[in-house]
Amino acid sequence: MTTSLFMRIRDCFPADMNKTLLETPDGVRFSYRDANEWSSRYAAALYAAGARKGDRVAVQVDKSPSALFLYLGCIRAGLVYLPLNTAYQAQELAYFLEDASPVVIVCQPERKAEMDEIARVTVAATVFSLGADGQGTIKDAASRDGTDFAPVPCADDDLAAILYTSGTTGKPKGAMMTQMNLWSNGRTLVDLWGFTSGDTLLHALPIFHTHGLFIACHCVMISGASMIFLPKFDREQVIAALPRATVMMGVPTFYVRLLAGKDFDAALVSNMRLFISGSAPLLPETFANFHARTGHYLLERYGMTEIGMATSNPLDGDRIIHTVGPALPDVEVRVCDDQGQVLAQGEVGVLEVRGPNVFAGYWKMPEKTREEFRKDGFFITGDIALIDDKGYVHIVGRAKDLVISGGFNIYPKEIETEIDKMAGVLESAVIGVPHPDFGEAVVAIVVLQGESTLTGEEIINYIKTLMANFKVPKQVFFVDELPRNAMGKVQKNVLRDQFSTVF
Ligand code: AMP
């Protein structure tokens, strides 16, 4: 045991350590040497605060270069990184801290007093601060330390991170990611997506989530590339940075927003070689408009917190809309029924995944872990899918989205797809709401395009011509936009609350 995730990543750093790892929108550059040295200082500061191999470090801070170096410091010291969305409030934080019992907590400076108080009643931890500008008490502590902190060796199945998944029901679960989960996935994606040291990634994703932290940053560091590191998705900043970038990773909302202005065109992205989309379904309209405007086919891939990336459309070869591509080279996928029986090719069932990318289980939830794994090691994703004759996976819906109306099972995605195809519709979300007669009733929440005068009755009548009555929305509501979380996912729980009393 002489290696670790950190050591493997650092071994991939370029020979010229002065090379830029990341650049901020105001032009400040940080080199690979900075990443190496600051990770050492942060590792030493965490060690001085009492954190030892396997201990958790909870981090709820704004995105910044220092936040990335803090992550590297954690894995350098063999600690378990636990990123938290800055949107979480006191009650949610108390749950995470009690559950994960971190030894160190790093928070936004403006919330330090609040975090001290939460920590006081939940967990014996040292609380540090780190601001968006990179300043804070952990930076002060780290500044006093040296740049030669010896990386702590770790076994492949030692934990590197715990990521809490939002989950539509029940308590958030901490997905335990091992050293090998993160390393193998990053390594595979670098090859699959053709990353080289010549690439510059436009990074506008949050780094409290697997997409922005592991997928994006690991691909860059493992290939010795550079990134333009934006604090968040800001359309103007993205437009300004695109001419210098070669790759962008984003959620579908990013691409919809880029397409919303005429300044996003083929000339602007002439330096780009690849746009990757994931974390939420890509609308066919976005895929088509994107190609028409830029000449690029968006590369859609599929993953989730527990499994990192599992499938991807190809770099070379057909990128097919409505599919998330075949399994990654070292990943196996299959579609099963509720009992775990493998279904025939083309049949719709639950997607299961096995491979070095699949997490080690849910933190302190052995029961839940057992429920979500098959005996042969496949993880039951909860996504409803089919695999076509080319081996491409189609995500058809989410098991937890399932609406049961009058005893019939209804997958909203099927209805959404048809509504979305109607002229005048931008997008839609279909949900089940309590109904005195049916238990749940199907309703559609629709966003119309600009001047469209489409009515709810027209939508209902059209869907009636296509599918069984029990699937036809009982009512249609119009909204200006669908509520989305930071990862671009439609927040159906928000819609379900909002429309819970319509019957
Ligand atoms: P998260 O754990 O937050 O990354 O969410 C994972 C979930 O996002 C998956 O289980 C899918 O339901 C959804 N998802 C991710 N990528 C895609 C995609 N390309 N198309 C459709 N759904 C996706």
Side-chain angles (χ1 to χ4, degrees), residues 165-166 209-210 277-282 300-306 324 381 383 395 398 487 489:
T165 64
S166 29
H209 186 272
T210 188
S277 176
S279 287
L282 182 65
E300 186 171 15
R301 91 296 175 284
Y302 159 84
M304 67 193 293
T305 301
E306 290 91 332
V324 291
T381 63
D383 286 311
I395 304 293
R398 181 107 195 107
M487 298 312 297
K489 288 186 220 303

Side-chain angles (χ1 to χ4, degrees), residues 67-68 71-72 81-83 161 163 182 203 205-221 227 229 487:
L68 179 64
Y71 159 66
L72 291 174
Y81 188 69
L82 198 167
L163 298 188
L182 302 182
H203 194 307
L205 291 159
I207 57 167
F208 54 72
H209 186 272
T210 188
H211 191 171
L213 182 60
F214 304 134
I215 307 306
C217 296
H218 285 184
C219 278
V220 167
M221 291 187 286
M227 55 187 156
F229 209 59
M487 298 312 297

Side-chain angles (χ1 to χ4, degrees), residues 200-375:
T200 300
L201 177 89
L202 203 164
H203 194 307
L205 291 159
I207 57 167
F208 54 72
H209 186 272
T210 188
H211 191 171
L213 182 60
F214 304 134
I215 307 306
C217 296
H218 285 184
C219 278
V220 167
M221 291 187 286
I222 293 172
S223 56
S226 302
M227 55 187 156
I228 303 170
F229 209 59
L230 307 183
K232 60 180 176 35
F233 181 90
D234 173 298
R235 194 176 180 283
E236 263 176 47
Q237 283 183 347
V238 172
I239 294 283
L242 272 168
R244 286 179 301 121
T246 61
V247 186
M248 178 169 174
M249 289 185 196
V251 295
T253 327
F254 287 8
Y255 299 119
V256 171
R257 290 189 195 157
L258 284 173
L259 286 166
K262 294 214 163 40
D263 51 354
F264 181 70
D265 59 13
L268 185 81
V269 302
S270 59
N271 198 39
M272 290 289 293
R273 67 170 185 88
L274 182 62
F275 290 92
I276 303 173
S277 176
S279 287
L282 182 65
L283 288 174
E285 186 190 76
T286 312
F287 183 80
N289 290 347
F290 202 90
H291 181 249
R293 187 83 71 83
T294 65
H296 281 273
Y297 290 106
L298 282 166
L299 183 153
E300 186 171 15
R301 91 296 175 284
Y302 159 84
M304 67 193 293
T305 301
E306 290 91 332
I307 58 176
M309 282 309 101
T311 76
S312 171
N313 271 284
L315 183 61
D316 302 312
D318 292 341
R319 299 181 194 161
I320 304 177
I321 184 57
H322 265 316
T323 85
V324 291
L328 303 193
D330 53 354
V331 175
E332 295 167 87
V333 292
R334 66 185 188 192
V335 170
C336 294
D337 66 12
D338 294 349
Q339 308 306 313
Q341 288 299 319
V342 180
L343 296 175
Q345 179 251 306
E347 283 191 49
V348 173
V350 178
L351 187 70
E352 301 190 357
V353 178
R354 182 167 72 179
N357 55 319
V358 175
F359 74 132
Y362 294 112
W363 174 256
K364 295 207 295 202
M365 289 186 180
E367 269 306 305
K368 191 81 200 152
T369 302
R370 263 193 297 282
E371 277 168 25
E372 304 209 1
F373 276 91
R374 299 282 175 209
K375 287 202 170 54

Side-chain angles (χ1 to χ4, degrees), residues 488-499:
K489 288 186 220 303
V490 175
Q491 294 171 301
K492 289 205 167 172
N493 52 338
V494 173
L495 292 173
R496 278 192 285 265
D497 287 348
Q498 193 180 342
F499 296 98

